[in-house]
Amino acid sequence: MEVSVVIRRPVEDVFAYLAKTENETEWQTGLIESKVISGGPVGVGSTGQDTRKSMGMTTVTHWVCTDFEPSRGFSFRVTKPMRFFASYRLDPTPEGTQVTMSAQPEGFTKLVWPLIVLMGRGQYQKNFDSLKRVLEV
């Protein structure tokens, strides 16, 4: 699954905003809390958790940062309750910054991934549209 958006802001500004997990509740629907639990800022090896409410259920997701390149992007592996790998890539454009999020399932998550994509792609794009609105204010 892949979604993207162009934001009329410099790459450095967009990356700085995305690198702070506490900002995620401002643009992701249903996200109650996102925090680094290993301490310090996000970087390779950092661990964290997100708490979401969707369809009346609260879910806690655990993740570990696997790649972190300032102003270029970062990647993380979600380890619970489902397993998948996701990355955010930032590319400069004449209009500002293109942000692309891609995600690939791992393990048993591959079995339900088509359903997740079907149900989630539209919401991920809406979240990216919200990210654009927040950063272009």
Side-chain angles (χ1 to χ4, degrees):
M1 174 170 51
E2 185 173 289
V3 294
S4 67
V5 68
V6 174
I7 299 171
R8 290 187 313 261
R9 293 284 295 272
V11 171
E12 296 79 14
D13 293 353
V14 176
F15 185 86
Y17 181 82
L18 288 173
K20 294 182 180 172
T21 61
E22 63 270 15
N23 291 337
E24 292 181 12
T25 58
E26 296 177 6
W27 59 276
Q28 289 191 32
T29 300
L31 185 62
I32 299 166
E33 181 182 43
S34 182
K35 63 183 179 181
V36 177
I37 58 176
S38 58
V42 174
V44 174
S46 296
T47 58
Q49 69 181 34
D50 294 347
T51 304
R52 297 181 185 281
K53 187 161 189 156
S54 177
M55 296 185 281
M57 296 174 38
T58 301
T59 306
V60 177
T61 305
H62 296 263
W63 52 265
V64 60
C65 181
T66 58
D67 185 46
F68 191 86
E69 290 184 66
S71 298
R72 302 264 309 148
F74 55 92
S75 303
F76 57 94
R77 178 164 276 110
V78 174
T79 58
K80 291 195 241 184
M82 293 186 286
R83 296 182 59 85
F84 64 92
F85 178 81
S87 64
Y88 284 77
R89 187 178 72 245
L90 285 74
D91 295 303
T93 69
E95 298 83 23
T97 303
Q98 180 170 351
V99 181
T100 304
M101 188 280 297
S102 61
Q104 299 85 32
E106 296 181 332
F108 290 110
T109 304
K110 291 177 182 178
L111 297 174
V112 295
W113 196 251
L115 182 60
I116 291 169
V117 170
L118 181 67
M119 293 174 57
R121 182 184 300 278
Q123 187 58 58
Y124 278 105
Q125 190 61 58
K126 286 179 186 175
N127 286 344
F128 265 41
D129 294 343
S130 292
L131 175 64
K132 178 181 177 75
R133 280 192 299 279
V134 166
L135 286 175
E136 289 184 352
V137 170

